[in-house]
Amino acid sequence: MIAEPTNLEGVWLLKPRQWGDQRGAIVQTFNAVDLADLSRRTASDGRYAPWLDWVQENVTVSERNVLRGVHGYWDLWRLCYCVYGEIYFAVVNCKDGDGQFGRWQAWNLHGPQWGIVLVPPGFGMACLTLSNISIFAYKWSGYYERHEQFRFRHDDPRFGIEWPGDPKKFVLSERDRGEQR
């Protein structure tokens, strides 16, 4: 895996190994050795970062214009990629008071070969399905606890995320249409 820094400190875009022939392709979406190496290179004290202990993986299946997020955790890492289809994936710094609050970056992801995004604690993420169907997977460094999740609206003016498409057509959950917390 090749790790590329992004415009957001602590967020990495990982380019997975791929092999292909006339039958199709194999994409390696997870490699503990590569992530341990990234951890050693980026940790200030040289120890393994806690995000190497992935304990849960979730998969969402969404139709065109479904927008999920902005959701995040103060203490969990997530390793995110599009398995099938195309999504617009945005990551935003939600750490109030660190001087980078509200900075965001987004990628069009078309399957894992286009990139895997490593999202650190304190960053929210959101994805908008651009294709007819998308399958999105993400590993967690801790177990899902809804009450510990922070949430911001996708159209929070402090972020100014530039979403593609017509916002009137976005399909949001009741929770994502509600007030942030």
Side-chain angles (χ1 to χ4, degrees), residues 106-136:
W107 302 265
N108 274 40
L109 300 178
H110 313 252
Q113 67 271 24
W114 292 95
I116 298 168
V117 183
L118 181 62
V119 181
F123 285 78
M125 63 184 211
C127 61
L128 171 66
T129 298
L130 301 176
S131 54
N132 288 334
I133 297 284
S134 72
I135 301 174
F136 176 72

Side-chain angles (χ1 to χ4, degrees), residues 18-36:
Q18 306 177 53
W19 302 269
D21 60 23
Q22 72 278 7
R23 300 168 296 165
I26 296 172
V27 179
Q28 186 179 73
T29 60
F30 177 77
N31 184 301
V33 172
D34 289 345
L35 288 175

Side-chain angles (χ1 to χ4, degrees), residues 10 63 69 74 150 154:
E63 295 182 357
W74 301 117
F150 63 79
H154 71 284

